[in-house]
C-alpha cells in the first residue's frame, strides 16, 4: 500500500533553556542545514532548576553523537570523572558499598562471575566484597582514573565512567554549539499557547510584549511547569510518591577540600539522603528528603553538618513529586526533561532520560502528518524506561535493614511494583538477573546494589557446580590480583585531570 507522504516539518520550537532545552537544541541543530528552523525560547527571569551535576556513562554516547571533544567539555564545565556511586548507611548505619560502572570479573563457561563469588561465600570462603573484582570500584576507592582501553583483552577495557559537571556551564557549552549551528534563541516569557480549534494541535506561542512564535513541532523543556504538555494539552501526571516519598531537597555548593574523589557519594539520612558531587572548583551538595517524615529545618541542618568545606552560597530549596506524565508525546508536542517527569537523582538518571528522549525523537522524527504509530512507539518505550529506572531506585529504599525511623519502616515494608517484585523473586532463588530489552541498568549494576543492600539469594545457579571450587577460587584470586595491580598503575584522578583537561 502506498500513500502520499505528508509534508516535512520545517519549524521546530523548543520551550526552555535548561539542560533539557539545550541538549535537545544541540542535537536537533543538525536539522538546520536541511532547511528546518529550530527556535529555542527561554526566560532568564524564570531561570532553570540549576541542579543536575552527576551523570552516567550513557552520556558519552550523546557526546559522541554530537562530536563533542570530551577534554574540552571537562575543561569548560569544571568537570571531574565518575566511576560509580558510593552508598553509605543504606543497608544499615555504618555500612557502605559502591555501585560501580563496569563489570565484575569475567564469566567462565557460560557461568556469570557473581555466581562464582556467591558460591565461594556460601562455602565459607572469604572472597571479600564483590567490588574487589570490578576495576571501576577498586580504582574509585583508590582515587585513580584513566580512560578504558579499547583492546577487549585488557583489564582496562572493563572500566566505565561518566562525569560530574556544573549544570549551568554544561547548558552554556551546548548553547554555544547549538547557536553556532543556526539554532535561534529567543529571550522571553511564554504567556499563552495557541491551539487549533479542531485538532487541538499547538500552533504557536505568545510571548510577553505581543510577540508570537509559530511552529509545527513543539518540544516542551519548560521544567516542572510543563507548560505545553501539562498545562496546554492537559496530559495528566501519574504520581509515584507512595513508592518514592521524597518530595523536597536542599542544595548548596561548598568549598572543595582534600582529594577529588572519582565517584558520587549518597549518604542515607533518617528520611532521605544527601548527595556529594565533587567538581574541580567546588563540591555540589544536597539533601533529598520526605517532608512527611522530617521538617525543613532539620533537613537543612543535616545537609550543612555534612559539608566538607564552607558553603559558597545560600542553600536553595526545591520541591517535586516523583512520577511522570501519562504520555510524553501528545499531538505535536514532545516533553523532554522535568516537564515529562521526575525521578530523584539517586542514580543520576534524569539527564540520561533527557538523552533517551532526544535519541528516540530523532529515530521517530515525525512529518506534518504526525503518525500515530511513531507517537505510540515513543510513548511505549519512554514510559517503560521511566518505570525501569523507578524500580531500580525503589530497590535502594526497600531492600534495607534500617528500622530507625518511620521513613525507613515505611520503605522497608511497602508493597513494591510487580515488575520489581518479579526481579527480586528471580534473584532470591538462584541469583539470576535479567535485563529487559532497552533497559538502562546492566545486570552488574543490579548485582552491585542487591548485594550491597544485603539481598542474599537462597542458592546459586546449578551450572556453577560444573566448575570445581578450588579452580574457581584460583581464578578469582587471579582476577582480584590483576584488578588491584591495574588500578595501582593508573594515575590519580587529580593527575589525570591536570594532564588532560584542567579547567
Ligand atoms: P529547567 O532547568 O527547570 O529548565 C526549564 C526552562 O524552561 C528554563 O530555561 C525556564 O526559563 C524555561 N521556562 C519555564 N517556563 C517558561 C515560560 N513561561 N516562558 C519561557 N521559558 C520558560 N539530574 C541528573 O541527571 N543528575 C543529577 O545529579 C541531578 N540532580 C538533581 C537534584 C535535584 C534536587 C533535582 C530537583 C533535579 C536533579 N536532576 C539531576 C535533574 C536535572 O536537574 C534536570 O533533569 C535537568 O536540569 C533538566 O531540567 P529541565 O531543563 O527539564 O528544566
Amino acid at each position: 500500500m502506498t500513500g502520499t507522504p505528508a509534508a516535512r516539518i520545517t519549524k521546530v520550537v523548543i520551550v526552555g533553556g535548561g539542560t533539557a532545552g539545550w541538549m535537545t537544541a544541540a542535537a536537533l541543530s543538525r536539522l538546520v542545514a536541511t532547511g528546518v528552523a529550530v527556535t529555542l525560547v527561554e526566560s532568564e527571569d524564570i531561570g532553570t532548576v540549576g541542579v543536575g551535576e552527576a551523570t552516567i556513562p550513557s552520556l558519552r554516547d550523546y557526546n559522541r553523537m554530537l562530536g563533542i571533544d570530551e577534554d574540552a567539555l571537562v575543561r569548560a564545565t569544571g568537570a571531574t570523572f565518575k566511576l560509580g556511586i558510593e552508598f553509605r548507611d543504606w543497608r544499615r548505619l555504618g555500612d557502605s558499598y559502591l555501585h560501580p560502572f563496569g563489570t565484575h570479573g569475567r564469566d567462565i563457561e557460560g557461568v556469570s562471575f557473581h555466581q562464582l563469588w556467591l558460591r565461594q561465600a556460601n562455602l565459607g570462603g572469604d572472597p571479600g566484597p564483590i567490588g574487589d573484582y570490578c576495576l571501576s570500584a577498586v580504582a574509585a576507592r583508590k582515587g585513580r582514573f584513566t580512560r578504558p582501553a579499547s583492546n577487549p583483552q585488557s583489564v582496562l577495557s572493563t572500566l566505565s565512567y561518566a562525569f560530574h559537571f556544573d549544570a549551568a556551564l554544561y547548558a552554556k557549552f551546548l548553547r554555544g554549539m547549538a547557536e553556532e549551528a543556526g539554532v535561534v534563541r529567543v529571550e522571553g516569557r511564554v504567556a499563552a499557547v495557541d491551539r487549533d480549534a479542531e485538532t487541538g494541535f499547538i500552533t504557536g506561542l505568545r510571548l510577553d510584549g505581543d510577540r508570537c512564535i509559530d511552529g509545527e513541532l513543539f518540544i516542551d523543556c519548560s521544567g516542572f511547569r510543563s507548560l505545553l504538555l501539562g498545562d496546554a494539552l492537559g496530559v495528566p501526571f501519574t504520581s509515584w510518591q507512595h513508592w518514592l516519598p521524597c518530595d523536597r531537597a536542599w542544595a548548596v555548593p561548598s568549598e572543595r577540600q582534600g582529594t577529588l574523589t572519582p565517584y558520587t557519594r549518597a549518604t542515607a539520612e533518617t528520611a532521605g539522603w544527601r548527595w556529594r558531587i565533587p567538581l574541580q572548583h567546588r563540591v555540589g551538595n544536597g539533601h533529598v528528603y520526605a517532608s512527611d517524615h522530617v521538617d525543613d529545618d532539620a533537613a537543612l541542618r543535616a545537609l550543612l553538618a555534612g559539608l566538607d568545606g564552607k558553603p559558597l552560597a545560600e542553600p536553595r530549596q526545591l520541591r517535586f513529586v516523583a512520577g511522570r506524565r501519562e504520555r510524553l508525546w501528545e499531538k505535536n508536542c514532545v516533553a523532554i526533561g522535568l516537564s515529562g517527569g521526575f525521578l530523584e537523582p539517586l542514580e543520576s538518571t534524569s539527564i540520561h532520560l533527557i538523552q533517551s528522549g532526544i535519541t528516540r525523537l530523532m529515530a521517530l522524527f515525525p512529518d506534518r502528518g504526525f503518525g500515530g504509530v511513531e507517537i505510540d512507539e515513543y510513548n511505549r518505550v519512554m514510559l517503560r524506561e521511566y518505570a525501569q529506572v523507578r524500580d531500580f531506585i525503589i530497590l535502594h529504599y526497600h531492600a534495607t535493614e534500617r528500622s530507625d525511623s518511620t521513613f525507613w519502616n515505611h520503605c522497608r515494608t511497602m508493597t513494591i511494583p510487580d515488575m520489581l517484585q518479579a526481579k527480586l523473586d528471580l534473584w532470591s532463588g538462584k541469583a539470576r538477573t535479567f535485563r529487559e530489552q532497552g533497559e538502562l541498568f546492566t545486570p552488574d549494576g543490579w548485582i552491585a546494589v542487591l548485594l550491597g543492600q544485603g539481598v542474599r539469594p537462597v542458592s546459586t545457579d546449578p551450572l556453577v557446580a560444573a566448575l570445581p571450587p578450588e579452580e574457581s577460587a584460583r581464578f578469582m584470586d587471579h582476577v582480584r590480583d590483576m584488578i588491584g595491580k591495574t588500578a595501582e598503575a593508573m594515575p590519580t584522578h587529580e593527575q589525570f585531570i591536570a594532564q588532560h583537561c584542567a579547567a
Side-chain angles (χ1 to χ4, degrees):
M1 210 168 67
T2 52
T4 321
R8 285 178 62 223
I9 299 268
T10 57
K11 287 180 194 169
V12 178
V13 180
I14 301 167
V15 177
T19 308
W22 284 114
M23 279 182 79
T24 308
L28 295 189
S29 66
R30 62 179 54 182
L31 295 177
V32 175
T34 71
V36 180
V38 181
T39 306
L40 183 145
V41 189
E42 67 172 319
S43 160
E44 261 169 31
D45 288 347
I46 295 174
T48 65
V49 68
V51 276
E53 301 184 324
T55 64
I56 53 176
S58 54
L59 186 71
R60 285 164 39 221
D61 297 335
Y62 172 85
N63 291 339
R64 251 192 306 273
M65 177 178 86
L66 263 63
I68 291 175
D69 174 72
E70 236 181 45
D71 287 346
L73 175 77
V74 171
R75 217 172 284 121
T77 60
T80 64
F81 294 92
K82 172 178 172 185
L83 292 167
I85 306 173
E86 181 194 30
F87 289 95
R88 286 191 178 178
D89 299 339
W90 282 82
R91 177 183 176 187
R92 52 169 106 101
L93 287 165
D95 207 66
S96 98
Y97 71 92
L98 241 137
H99 167 196
F101 304 139
T103 52
H104 296 105
R106 185 161 54 78
D107 300 353
I108 38 172
E109 295 172 26
V111 178
S112 173
F113 183 82
H114 76 280
Q115 297 280 357
L116 296 183
W117 183 89
L118 276 166
R119 193 227 345 225
Q120 209 66 18
N122 291 345
L123 288 174
D126 182 14
I130 191 143
D132 287 359
Y133 303 86
C134 173
L135 183 57
S136 298
V138 175
R141 293 263 184 233
K142 288 179 186 289
R144 302 200 168 245
F145 182 77
T146 194
R147 289 205 168 94
S150 50
N151 173 5
Q153 300 305 318
S154 162
V155 185
L156 264 182
S157 69
T158 63
L159 198 77
S160 186
Y161 67 95
F163 313 94
H164 303 119
F165 54 48
D166 183 317
L169 295 177
Y170 183 55
K172 189 172 160 199
F173 183 88
L174 295 176
R175 176 178 162 182
M177 287 183 67
E179 287 190 316
E180 201 171 306
V183 172
V184 174
R185 175 188 178 277
V186 175
E187 170 63 37
R189 177 191 283 257
V190 176
V193 178
D194 289 334
R195 294 173 63 195
D196 183 275
E198 222 168 274
T199 62
F201 275 46
I202 298 174
T203 52
L205 309 175
R206 286 167 198 264
L207 310 191
D208 283 349
D210 283 348
R211 287 175 294 163
C212 289
I213 297 183
D214 63 336
E216 294 146 2
L217 171 65
F218 290 82
I219 321 251
D220 186 350
C221 298
S222 65
F224 287 128
R225 284 169 191 84
S226 197
L227 210 66
L228 308 186
L229 190 82
D231 285 1
L233 297 180
V235 176
F237 183 83
T238 305
S239 165
W240 287 330
Q241 206 166 11
H242 49 294
W243 288 313
L244 294 168
C246 288
D247 58 351
R248 292 186 193 178
W250 284 107
V252 71
S254 67
E255 274 178 358
R256 190 191 139 184
Q257 303 254 314
T259 53
L260 274 185
T261 48
Y263 55 87
T264 305
R265 180 177 300 144
T267 306
E269 284 287 337
T270 51
W273 60 281
R274 284 184 288 115
W275 78 74
R276 177 186 175 280
I277 299 177
L279 305 183
Q280 291 187 42
H281 51 299
R282 61 170 171 80
V283 179
N285 310 276
H287 184 181
V288 173
Y289 60 98
S291 62
D292 274 354
H293 297 267
V294 64
D295 65 53
D296 292 339
D297 291 345
L300 180 58
R301 279 197 302 279
L303 173 64
L304 296 176
L307 300 182
D308 298 0
K310 282 199 204 113
L312 293 173
E314 280 300 309
R316 268 191 333 122
Q317 195 190 46
L318 298 115
R319 295 179 179 214
F320 43 79
V321 177
R324 47 108 183 110
R325 297 275 155 190
E326 276 178 22
R327 290 174 302 285
L328 299 170
W329 184 341
E330 175 83 344
K331 301 185 190 290
N332 60 339
C333 170
V334 182
I336 294 183
L338 299 173
S339 57
F342 178 73
L343 284 163
E344 58 184 85
L346 189 57
E347 284 282 351
S348 321
T349 41
S350 288
I351 293 175
H352 168 82
L353 288 168
I354 292 173
Q355 172 187 342
S356 188
I358 294 169
T359 318
R360 292 191 165 124
L361 172 61
M362 288 174 69
L364 295 166
F365 202 77
D367 53 32
R368 275 191 262 166
F370 285 97
V373 183
E374 281 84 12
I375 298 179
D376 288 349
E377 175 66 2
Y378 184 90
N379 284 325
R380 187 184 68 78
V381 178
M382 286 304 298
L383 296 181
R384 188 78 183 162
E385 186 160 25
Y386 263 85
Q388 289 164 344
V389 172
R390 172 202 69 193
D391 283 2
F392 194 52
I393 296 175
I394 294 174
L395 172 69
H396 298 64
Y397 285 107
H398 181 63
T400 180
E401 293 164 23
R402 286 189 67 159
S403 58
D404 53 295
S405 67
T406 54
F407 175 82
W408 289 107
N409 286 338
H410 165 78
C411 295
R412 203 186 61 252
T413 56
M414 67 188 171
T415 307
I416 54 175
D418 293 346
M419 210 162 85
L420 175 57
Q421 190 61 59
K423 285 212 166 198
L424 282 178
D425 291 345
L426 198 68
W427 170 261
S428 301
K430 296 189 173 57
R432 272 141 182 179
T433 57
F434 64 90
R435 189 180 193 182
E436 286 192 344
Q437 203 192 358
E439 184 176 345
L440 168 63
F441 290 103
T442 60
D444 282 285
W446 278 87
I447 290 163
V449 175
L450 285 162
L451 291 175
Q453 300 277 150
V455 189
R456 275 301 182 93
V458 177
S459 69
T460 48
D461 194 306
L463 283 183
V464 82
L467 305 167
E470 305 76 33
E471 212 175 284
S472 43
R474 275 198 300 279
F475 168 71
M476 288 172 64
D477 285 347
H478 170 70
V479 168
R480 183 160 53 177
D481 192 49
M482 286 280 288
I483 285 178
K485 286 186 177 136
T486 307
E488 207 54 58
M490 286 160 65
T492 66
H493 189 202
E494 277 95 341
Q495 281 167 345
F496 187 89
I497 290 176
Q499 279 163 17
H500 299 269
C501 39

